[in-house]
Amino acid sequence: MAQRHLNDSIVIIPTYNEKENIEAIVHAVVELEKGFDVLIVDDGSPDGTASIVKRMMAEELSERLFLIEREGKLGLGTAYIRGFQWAIAEGYDYIFEMDADFSHNPADLPRLYAACHDEGFDVSVGSRYVTGVNVVNWPIGRVLMSYYASKYVRTMLNIGLHDTTAGFVCYKRKVLETIDLDNIRFKGYAFQIEMKYSALCLGFKVKEVPVIFVNRELGTSKMSGGIFSEALFGVIRLRFTKIKGR
């Protein structure tokens, strides 16, 4: 597919009530020396997040910033899948996942890009745990829960990844074209596990790139017990699922 944009990379950022962060995070991404475009997938934020994005598109970033608006809070996984499908149709070669709240440092995007573009990996994961525990300002209970959840997933699925629930990821387009996105089951953090597991089962090469994860300073976390439970129990289902590509 021919590239339709000046840049070969797009960063997908799902949003729900991120008015405190959205303008700053978009600028932090598009001002990097390596060119990245940004796609916001907003789930009907009542705080006006989408309105801020529309203003930025109209005033300054019409060729770098894009917006998909959805009705209601439909889940992280479906937001990313909608973004993936849009990015594939638009011809981007490198498609990224990133949070809006600066827990993922935009300055690390070029490192994830280099792992795929220069080093030949198909997927690169911004990993909190590949070199220990690199998490800042999380309550210790949440750190332990996340760390041991990833170890549990690693053991259950027999995969080598240390940070299976990471949401800071770069995919080559061919990976997302191969994974059957319409059959991805999970909507919360289990979505992140299912995507990485699918890529590995389909023979793609995945690299963990060490990053420092910093807890949000502005806005409200979307983590819930239900999301975490889906990840834990969803792994058992994945263990006995045969992954097929398109």
Side-chain angles (χ1 to χ4, degrees):
M1 182 180 295
Q3 178 70 37
R4 302 180 189 181
H5 301 278
L6 180 63
N7 295 311
D8 63 354
S9 304
I10 189 152
V11 180
I12 301 172
I13 303 177
T15 55
Y16 183 78
N17 286 349
E18 291 289 355
K19 68 178 183 180
E20 298 94 344
N21 293 304
I22 192 61
E23 191 162 1
I25 196 72
V26 169
H27 278 295
V29 173
V30 300
E31 291 171 7
L32 292 168
E33 184 176 353
K34 158 73 183 97
F36 295 93
D37 294 343
V38 177
L39 171 65
I40 304 299
V41 183
D42 186 71
D43 270 7
S45 297
D47 73 345
T49 298
S51 297
I52 297 171
V53 175
K54 289 175 183 175
R55 173 180 57 77
M56 296 177 71
M57 292 168 65
E59 292 179 356
E60 53 180 327
L61 293 171
S62 60
E63 296 181 354
R64 302 284 305 279
L65 176 61
F66 307 94
L67 173 67
I68 294 173
E69 292 184 87
R70 307 197 305 168
E71 295 294 329
K73 197 173 179 184
L74 302 176
L76 180 77
T78 62
Y80 273 128
I81 288 171
R82 179 69 181 88
F84 292 159
Q85 292 166 337
W86 184 94
I88 291 168
E90 291 293 319
Y92 286 96
D93 293 321
Y94 300 89
I95 300 167
F96 293 74
E97 301 179 1
M98 193 175 79
D99 290 348
D101 61 6
F102 284 94
S103 55
H104 304 140
N105 187 345
D108 289 324
L109 286 167
R111 297 171 59 225
L112 297 184
Y113 175 80
C116 291
H117 182 268
D118 302 331
E119 298 176 36
F121 289 90
D122 302 304
V123 181
S124 58
V125 177
S127 176
R128 297 164 289 186
Y129 306 129
V130 70
T131 57
V133 179
N134 294 319
V135 177
V136 177
N137 293 338
W138 256 8
I140 186 62
R142 188 168 175 186
V143 173
L144 292 172
M145 181 175 69
S146 174
Y147 177 75
Y148 283 107
S150 279
K151 288 182 74 69
Y152 162 78
V153 173
R154 188 181 182 195
T155 301
M156 283 290 294
L157 298 182
N158 193 29
I159 57 178
L161 297 181
H162 293 82
D163 195 350
T164 53
T165 60
F168 196 16
V169 186
C170 172
Y171 294 96
K172 283 184 176 176
R173 187 178 72 232
K174 67 179 181 181
V175 178
L176 298 178
E177 288 176 331
T178 302
I179 293 173
D180 189 351
L181 297 175
D182 292 331
N183 280 328
I184 294 293
R185 298 169 181 77
F186 299 114
K187 294 183 178 181
Y189 281 80
F191 164 81
Q192 302 291 4
I193 300 166
E194 187 173 6
M195 287 295 297
K196 296 176 187 70
Y197 184 59
S198 297
L200 289 166
C201 287
L202 293 169
F204 292 109
K205 295 187 295 181
V206 180
K207 178 178 182 178
E208 289 188 272
V209 176
V211 300
I212 296 174
F213 180 96
V214 180
N215 194 28
R216 68 163 62 234
E217 294 184 1
L218 301 173
T220 304
S221 172
K222 313 306 185 294
M223 173 65 85
S224 70
I227 288 173
F228 189 73
S229 295
E230 181 199 52
L232 281 178
F233 294 110
V235 168
I236 298 171
R237 290 176 56 191
L238 279 178
R239 179 67 180 82
F240 299 101
T241 299
K242 184 169 178 57
I243 303 296
K244 297 179 181 179
R246 295 194 202 191

